[in-house]
Amino acid sequence: MSHKTDKPVYEAMKLVTSNPAKTINLFEDRGSLEVGKRADLITVHDDGIVPHLTSVVINGRRVA
């Protein structure tokens, strides 16, 4: 994603993390990795062609 937006990865990720959480008033407990917030996240491997989901973590526990 960042190579398509010419932004650093941490800035590009805001498009799908903190910005949507703020928009729907959920930033208090999600949208970023901080102490006291939900630990929901995904990891993705981007080979430059098609990004692939590599894991899913919900409430701090890996589920996939």
Side-chain angles (χ1 to χ4, degrees), residues 14-49:
K14 290 179 182 180
L15 297 172
V16 295
T17 58
S18 58
N19 289 350
K22 288 175 185 175
T23 300
I24 59 174
N25 297 317
L26 292 176
F27 190 67
E28 185 174 310
D29 76 339
R30 62 194 82 189
S32 63
L33 294 176
E34 298 179 52
V35 173
K37 289 190 173 187
R38 293 173 55 128
D40 298 348
L41 60 103
I42 62 170
T43 59
V44 177
H45 171 72
D46 186 356
D47 62 6
I49 300 170

Side-chain angles (χ1 to χ4, degrees), residues 1-13:
M1 176 190 329
S2 63
H3 63 278
K4 291 183 180 183
T5 62
D6 292 325
K7 293 184 179 189
V9 171
Y10 70 90
E11 285 292 328
M13 291 306 298

